[in-house]
Amino acid sequence: MFIRIACMGIFVSSTLGCGDNTNYNRWVSPPRDDGSVLHTPSSPPPSLLECMPSAAAWNDITRLYIDTENSIHELITCGQVQVRLAQSMLAIVLASNEELFRGDAFETISGYADMLGLDLQTPFEPAEDGRWTMPIAGADPSSRFWVQFFRPGSDAPILDDPFRLDSYLKGVYVDTELTLDQMLDDLDRRNTFSFTWEQEGPLVDLLNGGKPLAQLFTIEVSILDIASLVWPFVDSEGADFGPLLSLVDAEMISCVELKDTRNNTIVEYQADGRRDSISEIAGQGQVGFDLDAIQATDGRYTLLGDASDLRYVGVKSLAGEIRYEAAGLDLSLRITSDFGSGQPWPVTSWDCDPCVPD
């Protein structure tokens, strides 16, 4: 019976998942190269007629801009990691309890997880003040992506491990009426999962909407009901997730702290992921970012940027706009990166800086 509930956890988050160090590439961007699909014209556009840069200056500033935008692209990777984490939260919590597995059960569960693009552990390590951090592949070692959790409406971060079942309930035992095979044979057929537990954990108030929890409680769901948690178009009327569902009412923030060196360019910025509930992030598949000043330099030219309504919107895309001021030597330009309502790379416009006298 132990394998039944653990596999249920897999299907709860049946989209994209998380990986430990043995499957790290699921959580980070692929190896980088010096190119991108970002288009910049080979010569200055007509909009720069009044402040026309030399060919050498144009090559330098476009290279600096491309390097900067490639670094901004890390927000897509980190946004995707945060959405995957939110969608996988119930699976991670349930799979954290080794008492749920017997014999080769974990290998069986991992096999199902692989088919769904899901791992059962996070790549995050505990850090200060309840933060959970992971490095950003290829960037400066000081760079990191971190998440932090809060009780709904609370300003105090959760300091206990939110990924462990025994942070919520200790001594959990789960029994089921149907086998996993029976559930897979009929995706609409609802199974009853019965939970018993021995002691409350420090995060027990996140279950059952904060109300006292019975020593025995049940949930009644089918495979399709579980899929509806991440696929809202799936009808789940009549499903009963019981006291477990309020776990994802906990709230989350994130932060990308990046220092990146590409070619001769150094790019630095901090992007704070806006606070929202785990369930909202999972359901919407989006993360809004408040981007602190972007600074990039190659030693001759600099870019200073700020963003408006920048957010990860899924499908490896950002939405919103970034505005840059480029300066150096005798050059001063404005650059706008417009991701519109969502696309992998921005539409770029170039203008002279009207604040600079002729």
Side-chain angles (χ1 to χ4, degrees):
M1 291 301 181
F2 290 96
I3 188 173
R4 280 38 173 191
I5 185 62
C7 286
M8 186 206 76
I10 294 173
F11 285 101
V12 164
S13 55
S14 55
T15 52
L16 297 169
C18 50
D20 57 16
N21 290 334
T22 63
N23 204 5
Y24 192 67
N25 286 335
R26 292 198 177 193
W27 288 90
V28 299
S29 55
R32 307 192 221 182
D33 55 39
D34 291 332
S36 75
V37 295
L38 179 65
H39 172 72
T40 55
S42 58
S43 57
S47 59
L48 298 182
L49 182 63
E50 296 182 1
C51 54
M52 188 66 67
S54 67
W58 179 251
N59 287 337
D60 288 341
I61 200 65
T62 54
R63 181 71 265 169
L64 175 62
Y65 170 67
I66 290 173
D67 288 340
T68 303
E69 280 295 331
N70 275 321
S71 294
I72 293 296
H73 216 244
E74 294 296 337
L75 293 180
I76 293 178
T77 300
C78 295
Q80 181 174 327
V81 168
Q82 186 173 351
V83 169
R84 289 181 178 184
L85 177 63
Q87 292 175 335
S88 303
M89 194 70 181
L90 282 172
I92 293 168
V93 169
L94 289 169
S96 69
N97 190 339
E98 296 179 0
E99 294 302 318
L100 296 176
F101 309 118
R102 286 180 175 172
D104 61 355
F106 190 82
E107 286 72 19
T108 302
I109 292 165
S110 296
Y112 282 105
D114 286 342
M115 288 188 293
L116 296 169
L118 173 69
D119 292 313
L120 301 181
Q121 295 175 305
T122 79
F124 292 93
E125 297 291 336
E128 75 285 357
D129 299 325
R131 291 181 175 90
W132 293 85
T133 185
M134 62 179 286
I136 298 176
D140 187 272
S142 64
S143 301
R144 63 176 184 167
F145 172 57
W146 55 260
V147 296
Q148 194 175 33
F149 297 90
F150 300 81
R151 289 175 169 83
S154 172
D155 292 331
I158 290 174
L159 302 181
D160 299 288
D161 188 342
F163 305 120
R164 298 285 307 175
L165 182 58
D166 57 14
S167 293
Y168 304 85
L169 296 170
K170 299 181 183 298
V172 173
Y173 179 88
V174 184
D175 201 0
T176 68
E177 290 184 352
L178 303 177
T179 67
L180 175 64
D181 289 339
Q182 287 173 316
M183 292 186 73
L184 291 174
D185 287 341
D186 185 352
L187 300 183
D188 264 330
R189 187 178 180 185
R190 290 197 166 108
N191 194 2
T192 298
F193 299 82
S194 300
F195 288 72
T196 58
W197 50 277
E198 296 176 357
Q199 297 178 14
E200 294 181 347
L203 301 183
V204 68
D205 58 295
L206 292 174
L207 303 182
N208 203 35
K211 299 176 182 178
L213 188 62
Q215 206 74 33
L216 168 65
F217 64 88
T218 62
I219 68 174
E220 188 173 350
V221 293
S222 68
I223 294 296
L224 286 182
D225 293 332
I226 297 166
S228 72
L229 293 176
V230 290
W231 299 333
F233 55 84
V234 175
D235 183 12
S236 61
E237 184 177 354
D240 181 9
F241 292 94
L244 295 181
L245 191 56
S246 66
L247 182 158
V248 293
D249 290 337
E251 297 172 350
M252 182 193 306
I253 62 172
S254 64
C255 184
V256 180
E257 299 173 351
L258 185 132
K259 180 177 181 181
D260 195 11
T261 302
R262 295 173 179 265
N263 303 311
N264 294 320
T265 300
I266 299 175
V267 183
E268 296 184 74
Y269 62 82
Q270 177 174 312
D272 297 312
R274 295 170 195 157
R275 179 166 169 167
D276 210 340
S277 68
I278 296 171
S279 60
E280 285 296 311
I281 294 170
Q284 295 179 5
Q286 298 190 14
V287 179
F289 288 106
D290 293 318
L291 191 60
D292 289 354
I294 307 162
Q295 302 182 44
T297 184
D298 63 0
R300 291 164 295 179
Y301 298 94
T302 61
L303 285 182
L304 296 178
D306 61 72
S308 174
D309 195 26
L310 194 67
R311 60 197 187 279
Y312 168 77
V313 294
V315 198
K316 298 183 179 180
S317 295
L318 291 176
E321 187 176 86
I322 305 175
R323 298 169 300 278
Y324 297 97
E325 294 180 359
L329 301 179
D330 57 353
L331 176 68
S332 184
L333 307 174
R334 294 183 307 176
I335 311 168
T336 301
S337 294
D338 187 357
F339 291 89
S341 59
Q343 54 195 38
W345 297 97
V347 174
T348 304
S349 59
W350 302 76
D351 297 287
C352 297
D353 188 344
C355 299
V356 177
D358 295 335

